[in-house]
Amino acid sequence: MISLDQSISSIKGIGPKKSALFAKLNIFSVGDLIHYYPNGYQNRRNIKTLNNLKHMEKATIIGTVCGDIQEINTRKKFKILKVPIMDETGRGYVTFFNSFYLKKIFQRNRSFYFYGNVNIVGGEVQISHPEYSSTKDTILEKFCRIRPIYGLTKGITQKEITNLIEQILLDKSFEIQEYLPSGLLKINSICDINYGIRNIHFPSSSRALKVAKYRLVFEEFFFLQLGLRMLRKKYIVNNNGIRFKVFPELNNLVNSLPFKLTNAQETTLNEIIKDMQQSKEMNRLIQGDVGSGKTIIALLSMYLAYLNGFQSTLMAPTEILAEQHFIGFKKILEPLGVNIGILSRSVKKKKDVLRKIEDGELDIILGTHALIQDKVVFNKLGLVVTDEQHRFGVRQRSFLKKKGMNPDVLVMSATPIPRTLSLILYGDLDISIIDELPPGRKHINTYNISKNKISRLYDFIEEEFRKGRQAYIVCPLVEESEKINAESAVDLYNDLKETTFKSRNLALIHGKMSADEKDSIMKKFQAGEIDLLISTTVIEVGINVPNSTIMAVINAERFGLAQLHQLRGRVGRGEHQSFCFLVSEGKNKITRERMKTMESTNNGFVIAEKDLELRGPGDFFGTKQHGLPELKIADIFKHKEILKKAQEEAYKTLENYKLLSLDEKIPLKAKVKQLFGDVLKDFSI
């Protein structure tokens, strides 16, 4: 009997070498294989006669070899095999490149099914390099079915993976236990899991494929929403949180700031204060565009925790950003008696910092992933903040939270998601949105230019240098690659320091450098000792240098819109007009649309919507919320209506859970456990 849990290597014909290749596709078990869905289909049901074929279409024909095969040598050293065929309506040819071994197969008077691209040149019908099968060996229905197309890796063919999945699905002992409640399936006219799996791989018809896809998309969204709702319920029902009191010192600090909070900032701060005053744990997301002022709200929230005698901590994704927060927090809070510390990989005297955290000598601790290590023990942790939420996930948030006794949680994200989607995707969080920028923030003028205008760009950068400004140039690669045709930061740095900007101070920064090296360079750049910083996306998040007025991105077509928006947000932070230049050679329609979007708006929420539309959720939500199930077939943009329906049904299922039969509860709970693992291990339905 075949089970979902058994190793892929237990299937006949899969040895250690093949297992290793399948591992590259993240296929380790039978379950992984049958949930490895096709990324496209080949519909061979367009069966035609030779006289009905149209130029450039794909079609299936039945043809009989009717003459001698021609062997043609081309100037480019291609060898073409030209096989004459006929049916009752006319004559034509099938052609193959560098495949002379096929002469033995295509014998005169033998009939074949052919499927491929049709070319009609000078009235002559040709089908180029078609797939084929002898009419003796294969029935028409089998050849003409809708065939799946899978993502592959070198060493695994379409035929191989197709045959393997078919072998499993045809095995009479193979069956998947249904895990969605029967009432839910019936009310929503959703097919059962076995029908869905069989028809997503080998659809019996276009209608069957549509039905199967709906089932599997709905299922992915259903369990995502179920898990998020359970996490949210976990926080709501837990009344063991900290009840913080509000002290007048908080209002004094707000009034003493050198700037006035925007209306959106004030609203968000009030929502946080209200949460912190309640006995249930706060679990809130602040979404705000680049430069909207999320960090000052986090600082004020952490000051409130301090006033109540609690420690608080902020986890940032990079050492540079953690250091930047450390400097900013010290400037505002140290004069008020707050002791602030930092913990990251490169911090010296770590043992001393760890001791001060445990003894309660530090009130606010800023840091990186180093904060979630076992050896970090807090004295009285009351508030946990994660910055740049898209770099972390549920599991990291959970690790940090466990450092305290039911502390409040605040997460911040500068990667905006359209509001309706954020309410669904971050179902375990309350959401505050800072959708206005502080007064004085200038619009960043953005231009898409081709590479042949780069010398004019360099002239413009030189003009800014003469005004005392600084600039960034970002490249997609650290070093030159044979596989990828794109500019490398190292090569560009070496070239520009010897030619165009040899009289200027240039520096290079990238992810392969040590933390100390990166910090040293950034400090020099912030101090104005470096004119031009050539970088990879290591500077994408949180670098604040108000004197920088130019961001140039080379090979901009290789970056996502959200990423380009983050990079652009590194400039426009001071009083001077700033500019962003997107150097792109991409000529396709999507690339042009993406560049046009960047030129037309500085609004991160508009950009996020377009990013979802053009790139799909893969890159965008490529946050892949660590700890949440991966979406393999569902698309949060294309399938928004199914997402909403799945959310409704997930909530209903939890509300009416007691009404389910035992036979429905057991597989449902097993599926939740399989998908969410330790994220929900402390909480049962």
Side-chain angles (χ1 to χ4, degrees), residues 119-301:
N119 289 300
I120 300 177
V121 183
E124 181 181 274
V125 174
Q126 290 186 18
I127 302 180
S128 303
H129 219 85
E131 293 187 48
Y132 61 89
S133 187
S134 168
T135 55
K136 267 189 178 181
D137 304 332
T138 310
I139 59 170
L140 182 62
E141 287 76 15
K142 189 171 181 183
F143 184 80
C144 289
R145 65 186 178 183
I146 301 170
R147 295 175 68 90
I149 299 169
Y150 299 95
L152 301 174
T153 189
K154 192 175 181 182
I156 295 178
T157 64
Q158 287 292 345
K159 189 174 182 181
E160 207 166 19
I161 200 166
T162 301
N163 289 344
L164 201 57
I165 293 172
E166 191 168 33
Q167 177 187 327
I168 292 167
L169 296 183
L170 287 176
D171 192 299
K172 290 179 181 177
S173 69
F174 180 76
E175 192 167 346
I176 306 171
Q177 183 180 18
E178 181 58 73
Y179 33 80
L180 290 179
S182 56
L184 182 153
L185 296 176
K186 191 174 180 181
I187 291 167
N188 293 283
S189 301
I190 295 172
C191 69
D192 67 76
I193 183 59
N194 285 287
Y195 182 94
I197 288 293
R198 283 178 165 80
N199 281 280
I200 201 69
H201 290 291
F202 305 109
S204 58
S205 66
S206 298
R207 166 74 183 157
L209 174 58
K210 190 176 179 181
V211 168
K213 190 168 186 179
Y214 186 94
R215 151 73 201 221
L216 297 170
V217 169
F218 178 93
E219 174 190 311
E220 287 189 346
F221 285 145
F222 175 84
F223 282 106
L224 176 67
Q225 293 305 309
L226 195 71
L228 287 170
R229 189 66 170 181
M230 287 166 70
L231 279 167
R232 184 178 178 80
K233 191 177 176 185
K234 178 181 176 181
Y235 296 122
I236 290 172
V237 299
N238 186 347
N239 286 316
N240 299 320
I242 304 160
R243 295 190 74 148
F244 293 92
K245 294 177 182 176
V246 179
F247 292 89
E249 286 89 340
L250 178 65
N251 201 40
N252 293 342
L253 175 56
V254 172
N255 292 331
S256 70
L257 292 172
F259 50 84
K260 188 179 183 302
L261 296 181
T262 63
N263 291 333
Q265 284 175 312
E266 283 187 1
T267 300
T268 297
L269 181 60
N270 289 333
E271 287 170 344
I272 291 167
I273 291 170
K274 187 178 176 183
D275 282 355
M276 291 179 74
Q277 286 177 297
Q278 296 177 29
S279 58
K280 77 175 182 70
E281 299 165 37
M282 175 173 72
N283 206 37
R284 183 168 289 277
L285 166 71
I286 303 177
Q287 269 204 305
D289 211 341
V290 177
S292 61
K294 299 178 295 299
T295 305
I296 191 65
I297 300 303
L299 180 149
L300 293 167
S301 307

Side-chain angles (χ1 to χ4, degrees), residues 602-643:
N602 276 196
N603 187 315
F605 289 90
V606 172
I607 287 166
E609 183 85 52
K610 199 68 180 174
D611 209 19
L612 266 174
E613 182 185 336
L614 295 176
R615 289 169 69 89
D619 297 273
F620 182 86
F621 202 49
T623 56
K624 277 186 193 168
Q625 285 276 50
H626 308 294
L628 296 182
E630 181 186 348
L631 299 177
K632 294 179 180 179
I633 193 169
D635 181 315
I636 58 177
F637 186 79
K638 291 178 186 171
H639 304 135
K640 274 193 283 192
E641 293 308 310
I642 306 177
L643 176 51

Side-chain angles (χ1 to χ4, degrees), residues 410-637:
L410 189 63
V411 297
M412 301 190 291
S413 175
T415 303
I417 303 174
R419 186 179 177 86
T420 50
L421 284 178
S422 66
L423 290 169
I424 293 171
L425 292 172
Y426 291 112
D428 62 323
L429 301 166
D430 291 308
I431 297 175
S432 295
I433 294 180
I434 303 179
D435 54 4
E436 61 179 313
L437 296 178
R441 285 279 294 196
K442 289 185 170 66
H443 180 91
I444 301 165
N445 295 337
T446 304
Y447 306 96
N448 175 214
I449 65 171
S450 60
K451 216 164 187 177
N452 60 17
K453 292 182 179 175
I454 205 159
S455 60
R456 288 171 64 185
L457 168 61
Y458 292 157
D459 290 342
F460 186 77
I461 291 174
E462 181 59 42
E463 281 180 36
E464 287 293 292
F465 287 160
R466 290 191 198 109
K467 296 176 186 174
R469 314 284 176 257
Q470 293 163 274
Y472 302 94
I473 299 181
V474 174
C475 299
L477 303 176
V478 175
E479 294 169 328
E480 189 178 1
S481 166
E482 291 180 9
K483 296 180 180 178
I484 302 171
N485 181 24
E487 189 76 66
S488 82
V490 171
D491 285 350
L492 187 64
Y493 169 73
N494 289 332
D495 176 38
L496 293 181
K497 74 173 182 177
E498 298 296 332
T499 56
T500 312
F501 298 116
K502 61 184 177 183
S503 64
R504 297 291 177 180
N505 293 321
L506 274 63
L508 173 69
I509 188 170
H510 54 73
K512 290 185 178 181
M513 291 176 166
S514 71
D516 287 345
E517 284 179 296
K518 286 186 282 192
D519 283 345
S520 172
I521 291 166
M522 281 314 306
K523 282 171 184 171
K524 286 180 181 176
F525 190 62
Q526 285 170 325
E529 296 170 26
I530 294 167
D531 301 308
L532 175 61
L533 186 61
I534 296 172
S535 169
T536 57
T537 55
V538 72
I539 58 129
E540 176 189 348
V541 170
I543 306 303
N544 186 25
V545 183
N547 192 47
S548 298
T549 56
I550 292 181
M551 167 60 69
V553 184
I554 311 296
N555 295 114
E557 72 278 2
R558 302 194 67 85
F559 298 83
L561 281 183
Q563 199 172 32
L564 289 174
H565 183 58
Q566 286 280 339
L567 288 169
R568 176 168 62 184
R570 298 312 103 218
V571 297
R573 291 173 167 260
E575 58 185 305
H576 313 294
Q577 179 61 55
S578 291
F579 307 87
C580 177
F581 295 92
L582 305 174
V583 184
S584 167
E585 292 301 298
K587 298 287 193 293
N588 67 57
K589 185 182 175 185
I590 288 180
T591 298
R592 289 200 307 271
E593 257 190 87
R594 289 170 63 235
M595 296 304 119
K596 195 182 290 182
T597 299
M598 290 299 298
E599 285 182 311
S600 65
T601 182
N602 276 196
N603 187 315
F605 289 90
V606 172
I607 287 166
E609 183 85 52
K610 199 68 180 174
D611 209 19
L612 266 174
E613 182 185 336
L614 295 176
R615 289 169 69 89
D619 297 273
F620 182 86
F621 202 49
T623 56
K624 277 186 193 168
Q625 285 276 50
H626 308 294
L628 296 182
E630 181 186 348
L631 299 177
K632 294 179 180 179
I633 193 169
D635 181 315
I636 58 177
F637 186 79

